[in-house]
Amino acid sequence: MSKKLKQMLAAYGLVLPSFLTVMLVVAWPILTAIKTSFTDPDTGGFTFDNYKYFFETPRELTNILFTLGIVFLTVALAIVLAYLLALYLRFVKSKVSRLIGNLYLLPRFVPSMVAVYAMITVVRDSGLLNRISQLFGGDFKPGMMYHASGLVTMNMWFNIPFAALMITAGLGAIPDSMIESARDVGASKLRVLRSMILPLSMKDVVIAATFVFMSNVGSFTTPYLMGGNYPKMLGIVLFDQFNKYLRYERAAAMSFIIFLICSVSAGVYIYTNLREKEWEK
């Protein structure tokens, strides 16, 4: 046996335990769920009915469109606000920016259940905002509970710090000397932002957007506590099919639908990383 072959076998031997673990705890459940999603609960045969139910039933189709709308709006707002925050933390040198830089990640350490309940006490119609308005003779009712606006607002709490962390790291890799050189030759701040900072940080923006997208498609805690009875986000639809209606085949189909939606974002992430050299150029 040649030395090269021995080295190759040794390398595969070291990788094999991790590979088998991944296959056991990740790949096998996914394959089992896919098989279940194509199973007729009455006959045990092959069927597409579990998928047709979600795309042909108006109520379930509305749930899918509602979820995508919430997710895309969350991604857009979170990335824009996170980018502005990251720009401020990266290029503004002041006591306030340093203080914000030390505090903006705190929401990531608050348990999701605690954060959602805290938001509920503020935004519900009898919450803190309403009570403050009553002190001035008003009766302000935000109407954010059981509404899309409440879901998006709560999503901002979780996603802006995470996205800002990733984008700030990307902005930190831009040399100050490059920006100073552009300013020395007469480039305006807007020109520097448009022609230098934004292109150099776009990769990190795309990656942050993919993670925000995937984390919200199947979210459960926020829509369960703040969402309405209709329409529902897909995480709640999956929960209902599995626990309330005991339709395990439909639950498996919904799991695979969520997986397919997330795989689009995952494909963008992989493509972005494969073009790392082009981004650097």
Side-chain angles (χ1 to χ4, degrees), residues 18 20 44 54 65 132 136 144 151 154 162 170 192 216 218 227 231 254:
S18 300
L20 293 177
F54 292 107
L65 297 177
I132 292 175
F136 300 94
M144 299 174 68
L151 297 177
M154 193 68 242
F162 173 74
V192 171
N216 284 277
M254 175 50 62

Side-chain angles (χ1 to χ4, degrees), residues 85 103 177 274-275:
L85 176 60
L103 297 178
S177 59
L274 290 176
R275 294 185 67 247

Side-chain angles (χ1 to χ4, degrees), residues 54 59-60 63 66-67 151 216-245 251 254 258:
F54 292 107
R59 181 183 182 89
E60 300 301 333
N63 290 332
F66 175 74
T67 300
L151 297 177
N216 284 277
V217 169
S219 61
F220 177 80
T221 304
T222 299
Y224 183 76
L225 296 175
M226 296 185 67
N229 291 325
Y230 177 78
K232 300 178 181 179
M233 294 194 69
L234 296 185
I236 307 302
V237 173
L238 173 59
F239 175 81
D240 288 344
Q241 291 294 331
F242 190 87
N243 289 278
K244 185 182 294 184
Y245 307 128
M254 175 50 62
I258 294 175

Side-chain angles (χ1 to χ4, degrees), residues 31-239:
L31 294 175
T32 302
I34 294 174
K35 178 180 179 297
T36 304
S37 69
F38 288 104
T39 302
D40 189 307
D42 299 322
T43 64
F46 182 86
T47 182
F48 285 104
D49 290 344
N50 297 317
Y51 289 94
K52 290 180 179 179
Y53 171 78
F54 292 107
F55 291 101
E56 294 183 354
T57 305
R59 181 183 182 89
E60 300 301 333
L61 184 59
T62 301
N63 290 332
I64 294 176
L65 297 177
F66 175 74
T67 300
L68 293 177
I70 293 292
V71 171
F72 280 116
L73 183 58
T74 297
V75 171
L77 292 177
I79 293 302
V80 170
L81 295 177
Y83 195 83
L84 294 175
L85 176 60
L87 286 174
Y88 177 77
L89 295 176
R90 170 65 177 84
F91 296 109
V92 177
K93 309 298 182 182
S94 66
K95 292 182 179 180
V96 176
S97 66
R98 287 194 295 270
L99 178 62
I100 296 176
N102 293 327
L103 297 178
Y104 81 101
L105 285 178
L106 284 181
R108 299 295 302 175
F109 298 96
V110 178
S112 58
M113 189 74 71
V114 175
V116 174
Y117 270 117
M119 181 65 73
I120 288 174
T121 62
V122 174
V123 303
R124 65 184 177 183
D125 289 347
S126 60
L128 179 62
L129 296 178
N130 179 263
R131 295 181 182 181
I132 292 175
S133 69
Q134 289 180 2
L135 295 176
F136 300 94
D139 188 23
F140 176 65
K141 294 182 178 181
M144 299 174 68
M145 284 297 299
Y146 316 119
H147 192 268
S149 60
L151 297 177
V152 174
T153 301
M154 193 68 242
N155 287 340
M156 295 298 101
W157 168 279
F158 296 113
N159 292 289
I160 289 178
F162 173 74
L165 176 65
M166 298 188 68
I167 297 173
T168 302
L171 292 175
I174 301 175
D176 290 334
S177 59
M178 183 183 300
I179 298 173
E180 292 171 358
S181 299
R183 294 287 291 158
D184 290 340
V185 297
S188 64
K189 292 182 179 180
L190 183 60
R191 179 65 181 273
V192 171
L193 174 64
R194 185 178 67 253
S195 302
M196 297 180 62
I197 297 176
L198 188 59
L200 290 173
S201 60
M202 186 55 63
K203 174 191 171 184
D204 302 282
V205 171
V206 173
I207 291 177
T210 60
F211 278 101
V212 172
F213 182 91
M214 288 187 288
S215 66
N216 284 277
V217 169
S219 61
F220 177 80
T221 304
T222 299
Y224 183 76
L225 296 175
M226 296 185 67
N229 291 325
Y230 177 78
K232 300 178 181 179
M233 294 194 69
L234 296 185
I236 307 302
V237 173
L238 173 59
F239 175 81

